[in-house]
Amino acid sequence: MNTSYLSKGALGAGVGLFIYAGLTYMLTNNGFRFDIGWFLLSISPYQWALIGIALAVSLSVLGAALGIFATGVSILGGGVKAPRIRTKNLISIIMCEAVAIYGLIMGIVISGSITSFMTTKPEELALKYRAGYKLFGAGLTVGLCNLFCGVCVGLVGSGAALADAQNSSLFVRILIIEIFASAIGLFGLIVSILQSNGTSLSD
Amino acid sequence: MKDDLFFNLDHGYAEGLCRGFKSGILKPADYHNLVQCETLEDLRLHLQSTDYGNFLANDASPLTVNVIDDRLREKLVQEFQHLRNISYEPLSTFLDYITYAYMIDNIVLLITGTLHQRAVGDLLPRCHPLGSFEQLGAITIADTPAQLYNAVLVDTPLANYFIDCISEHDLDELNVEIIRSTLHKAYLEDFHKFCKQLGGVTAEVMCEILAFEADRRAFMITINSFDTGLTQDERFKLYPRCGSLNPDGLQELRRTDNYEAVKDVAARYPIYRALFEGAGTSTGEKTIEDKFFEREVELNRNAFLRQFHFGIFYAYLKLKEQESRNIIWIAECIAQKHRARIDNYIPIFH
């Protein structure tokens, strides 16, 4: 209950501060200073691209981790009374791990496109910003897709382990569900490659 | 979503283990074998090939049904204690709540035993191990409920349930049963509130099971109190309020005074109507208690159909107890060579 008051208080204080700042700008005829375009332009394309890499790897690893602990613990629990499931169910763990590998691949691919540029001409700078945004988009795509894919494969794998412990004919059928689940991570990888294809920050 | 994503973090191993224990519950084929045993030695032999293994190996023949009962209970308690030991919060609190019911039974057992002048040393081994707590042995010193509360129970988790029963009357036979019912009512309502507060799938599964328990207690208290001196108002105070009979059904039940009237009250609730219609009071038919047991087994079996909730731990304990009752029933029929009704156990899995 205390944390909920704290978070409500923090949220209220934040909103209040924002409204106060906004009104100050508006009423002192300084509204033009609230400039989103200027803000976006002042963030370097390197920043966008590198955050893209960070998101690609970290969100994929998060998804894989959530999946692996969900499945692994169920295999451990179910394996106590039904030891035969232990080896077969490691396939689920491998499929979760594949999700992390997709993130790793995209991280390497995106970071290969990051080289320094020296130009100051606006028309060429625009292309550099575009490259930065594309690499950010690619990283975000693969990261979020792999996050949900990893969670999905993990939860299905947990169900597969427990069902296998009860009735061994169920494992192969639930594995088919897992294969569909891991396909969605692959979609993220494909779209991400398309987004980052050919872009480069070099001159 | 928080249920699904993070349940396995703390409770995944316990769930896997519990489901493993559940797969050891006897199947119809095992019961078929058991029913065909001629002696208790045959029974022991057949139980060896099930999940029970050699649990009777250290007992000399001739086996008695009491020994089998003790060993079954030991095994159950061992498994439950193991689950309790490896659990994290809030599963630990949930499992503790399950043990409070046994604590209540132990307290009533000790008080009744003391009233009949039995020694504490005789009574303590007969208590259920799941319901043991430190101050258990000290219960026998109290004469009135108020003393019992102040001296012994105020430090136990059952302290809150005692508020309604504290009185200065001496503890005697009828009072002890009323105390048991009052404690159990408070316990059921508290457990129901706890499960509701846990939320998610646990609340859905457990609240249904506990609502059925509450209704079952209301019906059984009513039916069993017809020939005793319990007034309608006293009876009404013993009904747990967390079931689906609350409030209209309970008011109607309060005014009944025979089995047919109870059946009429039940007729307004589809599930209970079906249960009462299948039961009868003559010897060949199933009694309403058997039908209630069957319904309980059905609800507990359905708890295993969902994943990531605590209901399976409760359901597993209840199913295992039902299995113990079944095995003891079959053993008694074999031991007394009265095999006519040996098939009247309640099947758990189909």
Side-chain angles (χ1 to χ4, degrees), chain B residues 9-36:
Chain B
L9 192 60
D10 286 333
H11 316 302
Y13 179 70
E15 174 176 16
L17 196 53
C18 183
R19 283 178 187 268
F21 287 149
K22 170 241 181 193
S23 68
I25 291 183
L26 300 181
K27 308 277 187 305
D30 298 316
Y31 280 116
H32 194 67
N33 286 344
L34 289 181
V35 162
Q36 290 175 341

Tab-separated table of all heavy atoms in Angstrom, chain B residues 9-36:
chain	number	residue	atom	x	y	z
B	9	LEU	N	9.354	-18.560	-11.411
B	9	LEU	CA	10.566	-18.062	-10.762
B	9	LEU	C	10.694	-18.643	-9.358
B	9	LEU	O	11.730	-19.149	-8.962
B	9	LEU	CB	10.471	-16.541	-10.698
B	9	LEU	CG	11.707	-15.764	-10.326
B	9	LEU	CD1	12.803	-16.021	-11.305
B	9	LEU	CD2	11.373	-14.277	-10.320
B	10	ASP	N	9.598	-18.569	-8.589
B	10	ASP	CA	9.639	-19.052	-7.213
B	10	ASP	C	8.995	-20.414	-7.028
B	10	ASP	O	9.354	-21.152	-6.130
B	10	ASP	CB	8.905	-18.064	-6.289
B	10	ASP	CG	9.717	-16.821	-6.054
B	10	ASP	OD1	10.948	-16.908	-6.141
B	10	ASP	OD2	9.116	-15.769	-5.803
B	11	HIS	N	7.980	-20.700	-7.838
B	11	HIS	CA	7.165	-21.874	-7.520
B	11	HIS	C	7.204	-22.950	-8.589
B	11	HIS	O	6.457	-23.908	-8.512
B	11	HIS	CB	5.701	-21.447	-7.328
B	11	HIS	CG	5.552	-20.210	-6.512
B	11	HIS	ND1	6.022	-20.091	-5.239
B	11	HIS	CD2	4.998	-19.018	-6.812
B	11	HIS	CE1	5.755	-18.897	-4.788
B	11	HIS	NE2	5.145	-18.208	-5.706
B	12	GLY	N	8.041	-22.787	-9.628
B	12	GLY	CA	8.008	-23.734	-10.738
B	12	GLY	C	8.433	-25.130	-10.318
B	12	GLY	O	7.825	-26.119	-10.700
B	13	TYR	N	9.478	-25.195	-9.495
B	13	TYR	CA	9.959	-26.508	-9.077
B	13	TYR	C	8.922	-27.208	-8.208
B	13	TYR	O	8.637	-28.395	-8.381
B	13	TYR	CB	11.279	-26.353	-8.310
B	13	TYR	CG	11.828	-27.649	-7.822
B	13	TYR	CD1	12.339	-28.585	-8.717
B	13	TYR	CD2	11.846	-27.969	-6.472
B	13	TYR	CE1	12.844	-29.780	-8.279
B	13	TYR	CE2	12.344	-29.167	-6.033
B	13	TYR	CZ	12.849	-30.069	-6.935
B	13	TYR	OH	13.338	-31.270	-6.503
B	14	ALA	N	8.325	-26.454	-7.296
B	14	ALA	CA	7.301	-27.062	-6.423
B	14	ALA	C	6.137	-27.559	-7.251
B	14	ALA	O	5.584	-28.635	-6.979
B	14	ALA	CB	6.824	-26.058	-5.370
B	15	GLU	N	5.745	-26.777	-8.270
B	15	GLU	CA	4.629	-27.221	-9.101
B	15	GLU	C	4.972	-28.500	-9.851
B	15	GLU	O	4.171	-29.439	-9.897
B	15	GLU	CB	4.242	-26.129	-10.104
B	15	GLU	CG	3.186	-26.632	-11.066
B	15	GLU	CD	2.678	-25.579	-12.025
B	15	GLU	OE1	3.329	-24.538	-12.158
B	15	GLU	OE2	1.636	-25.831	-12.630
B	16	GLY	N	6.198	-28.530	-10.446
B	16	GLY	CA	6.605	-29.732	-11.175
B	16	GLY	C	6.619	-30.945	-10.272
B	16	GLY	O	6.170	-32.034	-10.643
B	17	LEU	N	7.139	-30.744	-9.057
B	17	LEU	CA	7.213	-31.839	-8.095
B	17	LEU	C	5.813	-32.306	-7.698
B	17	LEU	O	5.525	-33.503	-7.640
B	17	LEU	CB	7.962	-31.347	-6.867
B	17	LEU	CG	8.488	-32.386	-5.912
B	17	LEU	CD1	9.328	-33.388	-6.649
B	17	LEU	CD2	9.306	-31.701	-4.841
B	18	CYS	N	4.915	-31.337	-7.454
B	18	CYS	CA	3.548	-31.695	-7.043
B	18	CYS	C	2.856	-32.468	-8.140
B	18	CYS	O	2.146	-33.443	-7.880
B	18	CYS	CB	2.776	-30.416	-6.705
B	18	CYS	SG	1.123	-30.725	-6.121
B	19	ARG	N	3.058	-32.040	-9.406
B	19	ARG	CA	2.439	-32.790	-10.496
B	19	ARG	C	3.037	-34.188	-10.615
B	19	ARG	O	2.362	-35.137	-10.995
B	19	ARG	CB	2.587	-32.025	-11.802
B	19	ARG	CG	1.609	-30.891	-11.887
B	19	ARG	CD	1.749	-30.081	-13.158
B	19	ARG	NE	0.883	-28.926	-13.087
B	19	ARG	CZ	-0.367	-28.890	-13.547
B	19	ARG	NH1	-0.884	-29.929	-14.125
B	19	ARG	NH2	-1.095	-27.805	-13.404
B	20	GLY	N	4.336	-34.302	-10.284
B	20	GLY	CA	4.937	-35.629	-10.263
B	20	GLY	C	4.291	-36.509	-9.202
B	20	GLY	O	3.980	-37.681	-9.448
B	21	PHE	N	4.062	-35.933	-8.008
B	21	PHE	CA	3.387	-36.699	-6.951
B	21	PHE	C	1.993	-37.110	-7.410
B	21	PHE	O	1.529	-38.212	-7.147
B	21	PHE	CB	3.242	-35.859	-5.686
B	21	PHE	CG	4.526	-35.647	-4.937
B	21	PHE	CD1	4.730	-34.494	-4.215
B	21	PHE	CD2	5.523	-36.598	-4.948
B	21	PHE	CE1	5.901	-34.281	-3.516
B	21	PHE	CE2	6.706	-36.400	-4.249
B	21	PHE	CZ	6.892	-35.229	-3.530
B	22	LYS	N	1.321	-36.188	-8.097
B	22	LYS	CA	-0.056	-36.469	-8.535
B	22	LYS	C	-0.084	-37.635	-9.515
B	22	LYS	O	-1.044	-38.395	-9.541
B	22	LYS	CB	-0.647	-35.206	-9.164
B	22	LYS	CG	-1.955	-35.433	-9.871
B	22	LYS	CD	-1.803	-35.075	-11.322
B	22	LYS	CE	-3.094	-35.272	-12.080
B	22	LYS	NZ	-2.879	-35.231	-13.518
B	23	SER	N	0.981	-37.771	-10.333
B	23	SER	CA	0.947	-38.869	-11.289
B	23	SER	C	1.096	-40.208	-10.588
B	23	SER	O	0.863	-41.252	-11.179
B	23	SER	CB	2.033	-38.704	-12.348
B	23	SER	OG	3.288	-38.869	-11.751
B	24	GLY	N	1.464	-40.189	-9.294
B	24	GLY	CA	1.551	-41.428	-8.546
B	24	GLY	C	0.249	-41.842	-7.902
B	24	GLY	O	0.189	-42.876	-7.251
B	25	ILE	N	-0.779	-41.055	-8.057
B	25	ILE	CA	-2.076	-41.423	-7.488
B	25	ILE	C	-2.613	-42.618	-8.251
B	25	ILE	O	-2.481	-42.712	-9.466
B	25	ILE	CB	-3.039	-40.218	-7.552
B	25	ILE	CG1	-2.560	-39.134	-6.582
B	25	ILE	CG2	-4.448	-40.622	-7.200
B	25	ILE	CD1	-3.471	-37.944	-6.520
B	26	LEU	N	-3.229	-43.557	-7.504
B	26	LEU	CA	-3.596	-44.828	-8.110
B	26	LEU	C	-4.622	-44.677	-9.223
B	26	LEU	O	-5.560	-43.894	-9.128
B	26	LEU	CB	-4.157	-45.765	-7.039
B	26	LEU	CG	-3.215	-46.092	-5.889
B	26	LEU	CD1	-3.892	-47.039	-4.937
B	26	LEU	CD2	-1.942	-46.693	-6.401
B	27	LYS	N	-4.421	-45.451	-10.278
B	27	LYS	CA	-5.323	-45.419	-11.424
B	27	LYS	C	-6.367	-46.528	-11.287
B	27	LYS	O	-6.238	-47.399	-10.442
B	27	LYS	CB	-4.513	-45.656	-12.707
B	27	LYS	CG	-3.334	-44.773	-12.891
B	27	LYS	CD	-3.748	-43.455	-13.483
B	27	LYS	CE	-2.591	-42.579	-13.851
B	27	LYS	NZ	-1.676	-42.337	-12.746
B	28	PRO	N	-7.389	-46.507	-12.160
B	28	PRO	CA	-8.421	-47.553	-12.083
B	28	PRO	C	-7.846	-48.965	-12.160
B	28	PRO	O	-8.329	-49.872	-11.484
B	28	PRO	CB	-9.300	-47.257	-13.298
B	28	PRO	CG	-9.126	-45.833	-13.560
B	28	PRO	CD	-7.739	-45.473	-13.131
B	29	ALA	N	-6.782	-49.152	-12.972
B	29	ALA	CA	-6.198	-50.496	-13.063
B	29	ALA	C	-5.640	-50.939	-11.716
B	29	ALA	O	-5.786	-52.101	-11.321
B	29	ALA	CB	-5.096	-50.498	-14.120
B	30	ASP	N	-5.013	-49.993	-10.979
B	30	ASP	CA	-4.487	-50.343	-9.657
B	30	ASP	C	-5.605	-50.724	-8.713
B	30	ASP	O	-5.497	-51.690	-7.945
B	30	ASP	CB	-3.723	-49.141	-9.072
B	30	ASP	CG	-2.544	-48.767	-9.926
B	30	ASP	OD1	-1.816	-49.688	-10.349
B	30	ASP	OD2	-2.353	-47.566	-10.186
B	31	TYR	N	-6.694	-49.943	-8.737
B	31	TYR	CA	-7.830	-50.269	-7.867
B	31	TYR	C	-8.400	-51.632	-8.215
B	31	TYR	O	-8.812	-52.390	-7.338
B	31	TYR	CB	-8.921	-49.202	-7.997
B	31	TYR	CG	-8.647	-47.962	-7.194
B	31	TYR	CD1	-8.457	-46.739	-7.800
B	31	TYR	CD2	-8.569	-48.011	-5.810
B	31	TYR	CE1	-8.206	-45.603	-7.068
B	31	TYR	CE2	-8.312	-46.881	-5.073
B	31	TYR	CZ	-8.134	-45.678	-5.708
B	31	TYR	OH	-7.875	-44.556	-4.980
B	32	HIS	N	-8.439	-51.932	-9.527
B	32	HIS	CA	-8.929	-53.237	-9.954
B	32	HIS	C	-8.121	-54.348	-9.325
B	32	HIS	O	-8.655	-55.345	-8.842
B	32	HIS	CB	-8.849	-53.284	-11.485
B	32	HIS	CG	-9.607	-54.406	-12.096
B	32	HIS	ND1	-10.982	-54.484	-12.063
B	32	HIS	CD2	-9.196	-55.513	-12.737
B	32	HIS	CE1	-11.376	-55.582	-12.678
B	32	HIS	NE2	-10.306	-56.231	-13.093
B	33	ASN	N	-6.778	-54.177	-9.325
B	33	ASN	CA	-5.919	-55.170	-8.686
B	33	ASN	C	-6.158	-55.269	-7.199
B	33	ASN	O	-6.211	-56.351	-6.626
B	33	ASN	CB	-4.442	-54.810	-8.909
B	33	ASN	CG	-4.015	-55.102	-10.312
B	33	ASN	OD1	-4.695	-55.821	-11.030
B	33	ASN	ND2	-2.893	-54.539	-10.717
B	34	LEU	N	-6.310	-54.095	-6.557
B	34	LEU	CA	-6.451	-54.091	-5.106
B	34	LEU	C	-7.741	-54.775	-4.678
B	34	LEU	O	-7.777	-55.490	-3.690
B	34	LEU	CB	-6.440	-52.652	-4.578
B	34	LEU	CG	-5.107	-51.911	-4.621
B	34	LEU	CD1	-5.278	-50.531	-4.032
B	34	LEU	CD2	-4.061	-52.677	-3.862
B	35	VAL	N	-8.811	-54.518	-5.457
B	35	VAL	CA	-10.100	-55.074	-5.072
B	35	VAL	C	-10.078	-56.597	-5.133
B	35	VAL	O	-10.811	-57.269	-4.398
B	35	VAL	CB	-11.190	-54.482	-6.002
B	35	VAL	CG1	-12.432	-55.296	-5.973
B	35	VAL	CG2	-11.492	-53.075	-5.599
B	36	GLN	N	-9.189	-57.138	-5.978
B	36	GLN	CA	-9.176	-58.590	-6.101
B	36	GLN	C	-8.256	-59.272	-5.113
B	36	GLN	O	-8.076	-60.483	-5.180
B	36	GLN	CB	-8.768	-58.966	-7.521
B	36	GLN	CG	-9.867	-58.602	-8.483
B	36	GLN	CD	-9.448	-58.855	-9.895
B	36	GLN	OE1	-8.265	-58.970	-10.177
B	36	GLN	NE2	-10.410	-58.951	-10.773
